[in-house]
Amino acid sequence: MQTSWAPSMFEQLGLIGCGLMGGSFALALKRAGLVKRVVGYSKSPSTTERARQMGVIDVEAPSALLAVSGADIVLLAVPVSATEATFKAIRHLVTPNTLIMDVGSTKRDVVDAARRVLRDHVGCFVPAHPITGKEVSGVEHADANLYAGKQVILTPIERTFTVQLMKATNLWTALGCNVIKMSPQAHDAAYAAVSHLPHLIAFALMNGIAGQDHGKEYLALAGPGFRDFSRIAASDPKMWRDILIANREELLEQSRIFQQTLQSLEQLISGGAGDQLEERIQQASHTRANWRISSPKPQK
């Protein structure tokens, strides 16, 4: 069925943050013919210059505000801790017709910032979390295929404009994404469990091994299983510092649950309860073997 808005003609993308995520978004829009011009701004002028040289952006903006000037779509691809300051920098040029999105891994803090700063224009903002990325960062790693075939979580609020939500949905769909809508609260609870906690564990594991007297020797003996398990520990430190702090309430709750489960397994090992230990391992093995990435039902 044809929608009332075809994902074809944005005049100008105002890209704030020309790194991996923002750069990949700009390249994807360009390749799909969804935008005529990209004006970009990054805190580091060398990043913005590199983005222009690579063809990620067409024009370098000297400020976030000027990147938004004349834009009908704006993407904030900045650390979640910088979201509120970015909203403050651009709010004077936001119009009711502007579609604003972000790509942050937490949503309640971002939504709260939008409410405080954008006020009457908060309906223009459609919070987004594309479930994709790389362990490397920087515009030099920007990839037009980064979002293709991936899930994108949209977390609209009661004041989000219906037309802007439709534009965002159609846009991500046109990029080949599977779009899911849920509340900011449900999003943060879910990703504390399946993303933020695994990163926290990976960071702790690497530090725990490296901090031992023979840590280097142990790491030298590690095989493919350890490599796969620890891969996410190589993620961007500043980005993950911000994410873990921003979602700390949900994350610490998931950490408590994990510690209780771990202690339960430790007790079985300590007591030599082999049969019960095998049952717990079998339960985990069965859950993992039957796990499939699918679209969850929207939650309130």
Side-chain angles (χ1 to χ4, degrees):
M1 180 178 178
Q2 188 74 21
T3 63
S4 59
W5 181 86
S8 57
M9 292 299 291
F10 282 108
E11 292 293 325
Q12 179 179 309
L13 166 64
L15 179 62
I16 303 174
C18 301
L20 171 69
M21 300 296 285
S24 297
F25 183 78
L27 289 177
L29 257 65
K30 285 188 168 190
R31 186 176 66 179
L34 296 176
V35 68
K36 290 184 178 180
R37 187 170 86 140
V38 179
V39 178
Y41 167 77
S42 281
K43 189 175 180 180
S44 168
S46 62
T47 297
T48 317
E49 181 181 3
R50 177 64 175 147
R52 183 185 56 78
Q53 292 172 347
M54 291 176 59
V56 171
I57 66 175
D58 303 306
V59 179
E60 301 175 45
S63 68
L65 181 64
L66 291 179
V68 173
S69 178
D72 48 352
I73 177 172
V74 174
L75 185 76
L76 275 59
V78 299
V80 290
S81 62
T83 302
E84 184 159 359
T86 305
F87 280 142
K88 288 179 179 177
I90 69 172
R91 62 183 172 187
H92 297 298
L93 290 182
V94 173
T95 75
N97 295 321
T98 310
L99 168 61
I100 308 173
M101 295 187 294
D102 75 317
V103 291
S105 297
T106 57
K107 295 273 77 86
R108 278 189 297 183
D109 57 323
V110 169
V111 166
D112 288 344
R115 290 183 192 273
R116 285 192 296 268
V117 178
L118 297 181
R119 298 182 181 177
D120 292 342
H121 291 316
V122 71
C124 297
F125 180 51
V126 180
H129 177 199
I131 312 305
T132 187
K134 299 180 181 180
E135 279 66 59
V136 291
S137 59
V139 69
E140 60 270 20
H141 301 290
D143 181 359
N145 292 313
L146 185 67
Y147 299 103
K150 303 301 193 302
Q151 290 187 346
V152 173
I153 315 296
L154 301 182
T155 62
I157 60 175
E158 71 282 355
R159 294 182 62 187
T160 302
F161 297 150
T162 301
V163 66
Q164 303 299 55
L165 179 59
M166 182 180 68
K167 287 180 181 180
T169 302
N170 290 345
L171 172 60
W172 287 110
T173 301
L175 295 182
C177 301
N178 176 29
V179 178
I180 300 165
K181 300 180 182 70
M182 60 198 316
S183 72
Q185 294 78 11
H187 169 279
D188 285 2
Y191 281 93
V194 300
S195 176
H196 307 164
L197 178 64
H199 278 80
L200 180 65
I201 293 171
F203 299 145
L205 174 68
M206 293 303 298
N207 288 343
I209 295 175
Q212 299 179 38
D213 290 341
H214 299 285
K216 288 184 178 180
E217 290 91 335
Y218 295 163
L219 290 173
L221 296 171
F226 181 84
R227 179 195 62 208
D228 293 343
F229 184 85
S230 62
R231 175 183 60 83
I232 55 177
S235 299
D236 181 77
K238 290 183 179 179
M239 181 182 79
W240 277 97
R241 172 201 65 189
D242 291 347
I243 291 170
L244 298 183
I245 291 176
N247 201 27
R248 57 184 174 268
E249 291 183 11
E250 296 288 358
L251 172 60
L252 291 175
E253 175 61 24
Q254 289 299 326
S255 181
R256 284 189 286 270
I257 294 170
F258 171 75
Q259 291 179 57
Q260 291 170 1
T261 307
L262 179 61
Q263 290 171 2
S264 177
L265 292 173
E266 289 175 348
Q267 290 170 2
L268 295 178
I269 294 170
S270 177
D275 290 344
Q276 291 176 274
L277 181 62
E278 182 179 351
E279 288 179 5
R280 299 287 184 88
I281 296 172
Q282 175 60 36
Q283 181 183 17
S285 177
H286 177 78
T287 301
R288 180 60 180 85
N290 290 277
W291 170 64
R292 298 287 185 273
I293 296 179
S294 59
S295 301
K297 294 180 180 179
Q299 302 177 42
K300 300 294 184 183

